[in-house]
Amino acid sequence: MKVGAWSELKHIALSRYVDSARGARARWGYTSFIDLFCGPGRVINRETKEMLDGGVLTAWKMSARGQGPFSQVFIGDLDGDAVDACERRLVAANAPVRSFVGSAIQTVDTVMAELPHGLHFAYLDPFSIEQLDFELIRKLSSQRHIDILIHFSVMDVQRNIGGDFKLSSSRLDAAAPGWRDALKLDVLPKREHVGAYLEYWESLVVELARMQVSANKPLFVNANRGPLYRLIHLSRHELPQKLWNDAALPKSTQQRLPF
Ligand SMILES: C[S@@+](CC[C@H](N)C(=O)[O-])C[C@H]1O[C@@H](n2cnc3c(N)ncnc32)[C@H](O)[C@@H]1O
């Protein structure tokens, strides 16, 4: 899977968090890592051609470096070949893996039904905001001890929000159902539209998933400093929030944009 340099930063943040939560995992009898958009498990930097581990391989290998390796790694993807490749790579790295082919909105049910009591960490890394169905978050949140790290495509929101606001259906509906009724975009300056959508999405996280959004939401930009996505961390407890706020990329490396 070809990616830009920003993908590497995402994996650094993920791996720093997995590392920092090692002590917390070690206190649980069972811990899981869940990636329902796993891809083939390997990425190639489009410019440098360097081959690197994808998100789930990065997370597993970091967890296995010391105390608190994940007890189980669940992977899924719509693309069966990607799932096979990712599973092979995880098995080669000695990961206890369970794999599923299918749309995340279906595989999430299968995975949730298999989860024993424990501490769970879900990583949602879809290509676009359209695939970030809010139902996924709601279903994952039915586990009491779970935290969720989300690739939230700011670029998709920015590209579509103005045009979609007046349509009867939109590519942004699944991620934040009801946004077109809730937001008064016609009276807001354009530069505040994405921020308003994100704020509404966060209100759904609190009301429907009963989870909190961590303060550190690093923004990743492309070579022209155009916004791509934020990494957003959800949890229910102070410790994971603190760990994420400290582990995610330092604020100095993030961009100052109005959303
Ligand atoms: C950004 S890539 C994942 C990259 C991977 N997480 C990594 O870190 O290397 C998104 C993946 O989502 C898969 N995909 C697209 N739509 C999907 C859906 N509705 N359900 C599950 N997977 C989907 C694609 O096949 C692709 O492999």
Side-chain angles (χ1 to χ4, degrees), residues 1 3 7 10-11 35-43 53-56 76-79 82 102-105 107 123 125-127 131 151:
M1 186 175 289
V3 295
S7 170
K10 176 170 67 177
H11 292 156
D35 181 351
L36 304 174
F37 300 91
C38 65
R42 189 175 278 181
V43 295
D53 285 333
V56 61
D77 200 288
L78 205 48
D79 177 345
S103 168
I105 201 65
T107 53
Y123 175 54
D125 183 25
F127 275 136
Q131 293 146 10
H151 169 150

Side-chain angles (χ1 to χ4, degrees), residues 181-201:
D181 295 330
L183 300 181
K184 306 275 175 278
L185 290 194
D186 27 10
V187 299
L188 277 185
K190 227 176 161 184
R191 65 175 188 284
E192 290 178 21
H193 286 187
V194 178
Y197 180 89
L198 183 55
E199 208 173 292
Y200 173 68
W201 178 84

Side-chain angles (χ1 to χ4, degrees), residues 129 152-164 171-172 179 185 190-195 197-198 219-222 225-229 257-259:
I129 195 93
F152 188 99
S153 178
V154 170
M155 182 181 75
D156 287 345
V157 179
Q158 193 174 35
R159 277 189 181 159
N160 296 308
I161 195 163
D164 283 14
R171 285 156 287 200
L172 306 180
W179 72 275
L185 290 194
K190 227 176 161 184
R191 65 175 188 284
E192 290 178 21
H193 286 187
V194 178
Y197 180 89
L198 183 55
L219 176 69
F220 296 80
V221 297
N222 63 19
R225 300 178 71 76
L228 293 170
Y229 60 87
L257 292 174
F259 44 83

Side-chain angles (χ1 to χ4, degrees), residues 83-96:
V83 174
D84 284 350
C86 192
E87 182 176 18
R88 272 200 309 276
R89 291 182 168 128
L90 282 164
V91 169
N94 298 317

Side-chain angles (χ1 to χ4, degrees), residues 92-196:
N94 298 317
V97 58
R98 295 270 296 128
S99 63
F100 304 91
V101 177
S103 168
I105 201 65
Q106 284 154 357
T107 53
V108 68
D109 290 330
T110 320
V111 171
M112 292 307 281
E114 289 205 6
L115 289 186
H117 176 70
L119 181 65
H120 310 289
F121 178 33
Y123 175 54
L124 296 179
D125 183 25
F127 275 136
S128 75
I129 195 93
E130 262 181 291
Q131 293 146 10
L132 190 62
D133 193 321
F134 195 82
E135 269 302 284
L136 276 176
I137 297 168
R138 211 191 47 73
K139 287 179 178 200
L140 288 166
S141 73
S142 67
Q143 265 291 337
R144 189 150 160 241
H145 300 288
I146 191 164
D147 56 343
I148 309 176
L149 185 61
I150 299 170
H151 169 150
F152 188 99
S153 178
V154 170
M155 182 181 75
D156 287 345
V157 179
Q158 193 174 35
R159 277 189 181 159
N160 296 308
I161 195 163
D164 283 14
F165 179 50
K166 297 247 162 69
L167 301 180
S168 56
S169 73
S170 149
R171 285 156 287 200
L172 306 180
D173 285 352
W179 72 275
R180 279 173 293 111
D181 295 330
L183 300 181
K184 306 275 175 278
L185 290 194
D186 27 10
V187 299
L188 277 185
K190 227 176 161 184
R191 65 175 188 284
E192 290 178 21
H193 286 187
V194 178

Side-chain angles (χ1 to χ4, degrees), residues 14-16 18-19 22 25 57-66:
L14 171 66
S15 136
R16 283 166 55 104
V18 168
D19 191 25
R22 190 180 291 293
R25 282 196 305 278
L57 262 296
T58 303
W60 160 253
K61 286 183 182 172
M62 177 50 87
S63 85
R65 255 196 217 177

